[in-house]
Amino acid sequence: MAFLSLSKNYMESFNELPSPISHLYTIKMMDLLHEKKFPIPKNIDKWIETNNNSITKLGLKIMAFYNYRNKASEIIALLQNEDDSLIKEAVIAIRKLFLTEAKEDLAVLFNKASIEIQLEIIDTLKVIGDEDIVPFLEHEIQIQTDKDLKLKAVDCLNEINKSALDKLSAADYDTMNMTKHVREIYL
């Protein structure tokens, strides 16, 4: 960290690190990035292709920080990874980079993912979603048993299509209460 702090853009060699980077050091590196305003590493494209998941996650954070969208298809492909923490970071990067082309991939991943990732997917769809995902959200709201997920889905649908949510609310008491809550949080 001291070497990185005192040097001029030696981040290019990070993708070659054989050992994982701890979450704490990732936070420290991002803090340094904010503070020192390092330029984006020239080899950032290789950071998401490495076998070291911690480097890939750091690369995703850096790409989101610099709004670097050149590897959108590779970022979306990371949704198929086995590591949940990497999938979560890819979902967050998709949201921050506003990769609207990932909507269908996120919907497909939804039922296979953990609750934590499902919550991130709904948050991401709230940002990048449009009328194309309304049927997906309607279906999830109707069948969802997890109250947190259902509330997030109601909030997402409220953001995208209020009239579709009104129709669902009329048919289900829980959905009606959640709709009231997302529209007026002080109820």
Side-chain angles (χ1 to χ4, degrees):
M1 294 303 300
F3 179 72
L4 181 62
S5 170
L6 298 172
S7 63
K8 296 234 189 240
N9 200 22
Y10 283 99
M11 292 179 69
E12 271 86 18
S13 62
F14 270 64
N15 73 315
E16 299 165 7
L17 286 177
S19 59
I21 299 172
S22 73
H23 186 67
L24 178 63
Y25 282 118
T26 300
I27 292 170
K28 287 180 180 181
M29 281 189 263
M30 290 307 295
D31 187 45
L32 272 174
L33 192 66
H34 286 269
E35 182 183 323
K36 296 280 188 175
K37 307 282 191 257
F38 290 121
I40 190 166
K42 292 178 179 79
N43 65 347
I44 193 69
D45 293 344
K46 295 179 180 163
W47 288 37
I48 61 170
E49 298 168 1
T50 183
N51 292 331
N52 187 340
N53 285 349
S54 61
I55 297 295
T56 304
K57 288 187 271 188
L58 180 61
L60 289 169
K61 287 180 183 299
I62 290 171
M63 287 177 174
F65 178 76
Y66 285 105
N67 198 25
Y68 183 80
R69 300 171 44 101
N70 292 3
K71 289 292 188 175
S73 59
E74 287 83 352
I75 293 170
I76 294 168
L78 290 173
L79 296 174
Q80 307 306 318
N81 199 287
E82 307 258 333
D83 182 3
D84 276 357
S85 64
L86 183 58
I87 294 170
K88 181 180 175 186
E89 201 60 50
V91 172
I92 292 168
I94 288 168
R95 179 174 58 236
K96 289 181 177 180
L97 294 171
F98 202 74
L99 301 178
T100 57
E101 59 268 33
K103 292 180 297 210
E104 291 151 16
D105 295 291
L106 291 170
V108 168
L109 172 66
F110 188 81
N111 289 321
K112 299 182 238 173
S114 67
I115 296 287
E116 184 180 10
I117 293 173
Q118 286 178 338
L119 290 168
E120 290 294 339
I121 288 171
I122 297 290
D123 282 342
T124 299
L125 289 175
K126 184 177 176 183
V127 173
I128 69 170
D130 57 16
E131 290 294 322
D132 295 341
I133 64 155
V134 169
F136 165 76
L137 290 170
E138 289 174 334
H139 176 71
E140 284 304 318
I141 290 169
Q142 290 171 346
I143 67 163
Q144 194 55 248
T145 56
D146 184 282
K147 296 291 185 188
D148 292 334
L149 271 173
K150 186 170 182 172
L151 181 61
K152 284 243 186 209
V154 165
D155 186 34
C156 182
L157 186 57
N158 185 57
E159 188 74 24
I160 295 169
N161 188 330
K162 290 184 186 328
S163 62
L165 182 57
D166 289 337
K167 289 177 190 172
L168 282 177
S169 295
D172 179 40
Y173 182 73
D174 278 346
T175 306
M176 180 178 61
N177 285 336
M178 288 180 180
T179 302
K180 287 178 184 177
H181 178 71
V182 299
R183 290 184 178 163
E184 182 57 54
I185 60 170
Y186 297 111
L187 282 180

